[in-house]
Amino acid sequence: MRNPQVISPQSARRKEADKMAVQSIGNRLLQHSLARANAFLCGLCELYGELFSSRSGKRLTLKELRPRTFAHELVTKSAWILVIFSAILITGCEVGPNYHRPKVQVPTTFRASGGAQQVEAQAASFADLPWWKVFRDPQLQELVRTSLKNNYNLLLAAERINAARAQLGITRSNQFPQVLANPNFSGGKNEETIKSNIFSLAADASFQLDFFGRFRRATEAARAQLLGAEDAQKTVILTLVSDVASDYFELRDLDLQLRITEDTVKTQEKSVELTELRLKHGVATQLDVLQARQVLDAANAQVPDLERQIGQTEDAINILLGNYPQGVPRGRPLGTETPQGWVWTETLPPQLPPGLPSALLERRPDIHEAEQNLIAANADIGVAKAAFFPQVSLTGSGGGAFGHTVFFGASVPANTGIWSYGASLAQPLFEGGYLRNNLRYAKSQYRQALISYKQTIQQAFGDVSDALIGYQKYHQARVRQEQSVKDLQESVRVSMMRYRGGTATYLDVLDSQRSLFSAELTLAQARNNEYQSLVQLYKALGGGWQQ
């Protein structure tokens, strides 16, 4: 019998040191292989980008590519293939440009009236106020609330958001495995008295690996479209609030003009009666009576036209409210005429703070919508680039059948099970220029979105400038028109006194009355213009969409 071999402590320590050294070398080799595999993957992304997405369209030769990649080295080493595939599964990459907000040079101040006059920048803005604090007429507030509930354009905008949210879910579903189950039950009996009852269940699963971010970029684009739809809804709200307020002020202005016209008719009817009385007593002439009727006839002719405009404006307001044409309840009148002059229901300041120009980019929802369209177009470039790269899919299926078969009185079990799995890779080789032109199209769409984004910003500053100039000038025009009405009222009073005293003809009275009637209508229109410019300034600054 042979004696067992005795291992010395020195030999054991030497073997343990050799084992640790081998493990250390193996770990370093594995880390080095993983690092080079990761570099290979990124190099592969750059290689495909240069091969297929070059603007010049020139394909690089293999001789030109060799100094910049080491793919030909890996091909000769079959042992690295598994390491590379594992690294791709773990790391992956996302092709296409990441979005960065483009820098747009905007003015540091808003332009007001005049070429050199500017509005000082202030942190507070008139548009920061919610609409119910800007439009204080309770009836107008009720109309706005009704329109926000029933307006069809707003309801359509809400449904577009639902559609965009569903589209985001559809696009994002491509990042997950797809599993399909197919249960089946069958049974029967044949002429040989063989009975069978079989239940089978099969399931198929497929999963396309998103190595190069094709589905992630598509999801990014769909998410931007959803946010853009939400910003579009805010734009609809802003426009709806402004339109309701604008039409309501237009309606109140027409009411005021109709009241001025009706008051003029009543005054002129008394003047005609007085002139006819003077004619009977031989103090006036028939010409005086005819001249007095001229102002009365002109005022009566204005009434039907004003009533037409009032009815059409009421119809426009009801359409915004989501109602069929009907009357519109009124609130406070724009103003009231007193012996001391016109008294307005609401005092409007000569200037309103527009806020900082940089805040306009964050407040206007249409600018946000244009930027979301730009983000979606940028993500579509990544989708187009990812189409150049291989598409790897994993598939698997499995199932089983459970049951029994009765054969000549004997029950025979019929249980079976099967499963399979596989992987496939698809690499576009020739597509007649489809992928290249698809990428060019995506880049063109991005440039168009960028131009539209800058144009929207430019238009926003133009809207604010126009509204500021309009508000200031309409305010000045209304103040001066008030003074003109006061002067003409005094002119009518003096000319009437002189006519009754026999020192002036009725033609002087007639001219004064005509001028006063026209000036009062112009004053009502000036007040309406002031309110309209207030609404436009609020809209231009991005106010009104806050709920």
Side-chain angles (χ1 to χ4, degrees):
M1 183 175 182
R2 300 179 60 182
N3 294 328
Q5 184 177 3
V6 179
I7 302 176
S8 63
Q10 294 81 3
S11 300
R13 286 194 296 270
R14 190 182 303 109
K15 289 184 178 180
E16 186 67 23
D18 294 341
K19 182 178 179 181
M20 293 178 63
V22 170
Q23 290 179 351
S24 177
I25 293 173
N27 290 334
R28 288 199 299 270
L29 287 176
L30 179 60
Q31 293 176 1
H32 179 69
S33 300
L34 289 173
R36 297 195 69 182
N38 190 23
F40 168 74
L41 178 62
C42 296
L44 182 64
C45 295
E46 296 178 0
L47 171 63
Y48 271 92
E50 293 173 358
L51 282 175
F52 297 105
S53 63
S54 176
R55 291 186 177 180
S56 61
K58 180 181 178 182
R59 291 179 178 270
L60 302 178
T61 61
L62 183 61
K63 184 177 181 180
E64 293 173 333
L65 290 173
R66 282 179 179 173
R68 300 194 304 185
T69 64
F70 54 89
H72 60 287
E73 298 177 3
L74 298 181
V75 174
T76 61
K77 299 179 180 181
S78 59
W80 286 13
I81 295 178
L82 181 60
V83 177
I84 294 172
F85 185 72
S86 301
I88 292 176
L89 286 176
I90 296 173
T91 60
C93 68
E94 195 173 22
V95 299
N98 293 324
Y99 175 76
H100 300 284
R101 175 180 288 185
K103 296 182 179 180
V104 180
Q105 295 294 334
V106 298
T108 57
T109 56
F110 291 113
R111 178 178 181 270
S113 61
Q117 185 179 357
Q118 304 289 332
V119 177
E120 294 183 2
Q122 302 177 7
S125 174
F126 168 61
D128 293 333
L129 297 174
W131 59 263
W132 55 88
K133 291 186 178 180
V134 176
F135 310 123
R136 299 180 181 179
D137 189 331
Q139 187 58 50
L140 175 57
Q141 293 178 359
E142 185 63 27
L143 294 176
V144 172
R145 292 189 181 95
T146 303
S147 66
L148 293 177
K149 294 179 181 179
N150 303 329
N151 182 264
Y152 285 109
N153 289 332
L154 189 55
L155 295 176
L156 284 175
E159 285 304 319
R160 292 190 185 101
I161 293 177
N162 295 333
R165 186 177 291 110
Q167 185 61 46
L168 173 60
I170 294 173
T171 304
R172 190 169 178 267
S173 65
N174 294 323
Q175 302 182 40
F176 299 94
Q178 308 296 317
V179 180
L180 176 65
N182 184 20
N184 186 31
F185 176 79
S186 61
K189 176 182 178 182
N190 57 13
E191 298 178 354
E192 299 176 356
T193 66
I194 299 177
K195 298 180 181 179
S196 62
N197 291 289
I198 305 297
F199 174 76
S200 62
L201 177 63
D204 298 323
S206 62
F207 181 43
Q208 187 168 346
L209 303 178
D210 192 21
F211 288 149
F212 305 101
R214 179 183 180 185
F215 298 141
R216 281 171 287 169
R217 290 296 190 189
T219 302
E220 180 183 349
R223 185 176 293 108
Q225 291 171 355
L226 171 59
L227 296 177
E230 293 176 350
D231 292 325
Q233 184 191 39
K234 295 178 182 178
T235 302
V236 173
I237 294 175
L238 182 150
T239 304
L240 179 60
V241 171
S242 301
D243 289 347
V244 172
S246 178
D247 288 350
Y248 180 78
F249 289 133
E250 178 71 23
L251 180 63
R252 301 306 289 143
D253 170 61
L254 292 173
D255 290 340
L256 181 58
Q257 292 187 47
L258 180 60
R259 193 178 69 189
I260 292 173
T261 304
E262 290 176 345
D263 291 343
T264 302
V265 169
K266 293 179 181 179
T267 302
Q268 288 306 119
E269 286 177 347
K270 294 180 180 179
S271 179
V272 170
E273 291 177 358
L274 177 60
T275 306
E276 290 177 346
L277 182 62
R278 289 171 61 86
L279 176 61
K280 290 181 181 180
H281 291 80
V283 180
T285 64
Q286 184 65 31
L287 180 61
D288 293 339
V289 176
L290 295 176
Q291 290 176 342
R293 289 177 178 174
Q294 290 181 11
V295 178
L296 176 61
D297 294 339
N300 282 324
Q302 288 279 349
V303 173
D305 185 62
L306 290 173
E307 291 176 344
R308 173 191 61 83
Q309 296 181 53
I310 289 174
Q312 292 176 347
T313 305
E314 288 179 330
D315 291 345
I317 293 176
N318 279 290
I319 294 300
L320 294 176
L321 301 183
N323 298 330
Y324 288 100
Q326 56 182 327
V328 174
R330 269 69 158 176
R332 297 177 295 184
L334 293 185
T336 305
E337 186 179 9
T338 64
Q340 292 76 25
W342 281 88
V343 177
W344 305 110
T345 305
E346 186 176 359
T347 302
L348 300 180
Q351 287 187 352
L352 295 170
L356 297 175
S358 58
L360 184 66
L361 304 182
E362 303 299 331
R363 194 185 300 111
R364 292 259 305 215
D366 56 337
I367 296 179
H368 282 281
E369 181 184 0
E371 184 178 12
Q372 294 301 330
N373 293 336
L374 183 63
I375 295 174
N378 181 78
D380 288 337
I381 295 178
V383 176
K385 283 189 175 182
F388 289 100
F389 294 89
Q391 299 178 11
V392 180
S393 300
L394 303 180
T395 59
S397 62
F402 312 92
H404 67 278
T405 301
V406 179
F407 182 69
F408 290 106
S411 178
V412 180
N415 300 329
T416 59
I418 56 173
W419 56 271
S420 65
Y421 59 88
S424 63
L425 184 146
Q427 169 61 58
L429 296 179
F430 177 77
E431 73 300 322
Y434 170 79
L435 296 179
R436 186 180 305 278
N437 287 295
N438 185 49
L439 179 58
R440 290 173 180 171
Y441 175 78
K443 290 183 176 180
S444 176
Q445 292 293 108
Y446 173 80
R447 291 190 292 269
Q448 293 179 45
L450 178 60
I451 294 173
S452 178
Y453 173 68
K454 294 180 179 179
Q455 184 183 31
T456 304
I457 294 177
Q458 184 185 61
Q459 184 62 43
F461 278 86
D463 294 341
V464 174
S465 177
D466 291 345
L468 284 172
I469 295 173
Y471 182 77
Q472 292 177 5
K473 293 306 177 183
Y474 282 131
H475 179 80
Q476 296 174 6
R478 191 263 305 168
V479 173
R480 295 177 182 179
Q481 189 64 27
E482 282 187 31
Q483 186 61 43
S484 176
V485 169
K486 290 181 181 180
D487 295 340
L488 287 172
Q489 287 175 340
E490 182 65 18
S491 176
V492 170
R493 187 185 67 81
V494 173
S495 61
M496 183 62 70
M497 289 178 57
R498 293 184 62 189
Y499 172 71
R500 291 174 180 174
T503 59
T505 64
Y506 197 81
L507 182 61
D508 296 333
V509 178
L510 179 62
D511 290 339
S512 299
Q513 290 175 339
R514 285 176 178 174
S515 300
L516 177 60
F517 177 52
S518 177
E520 287 180 333
L521 293 180
T522 303
L523 177 60
Q525 294 174 357
R527 185 61 173 177
N528 177 53
N529 291 336
E530 193 175 10
Y531 270 110
Q532 296 296 334
S533 61
L534 171 74
V535 175
Q536 293 304 316
L537 178 59
Y538 188 58
K539 177 182 178 182
L541 291 173
W545 55 266
Q546 300 91 341
Q547 294 291 328

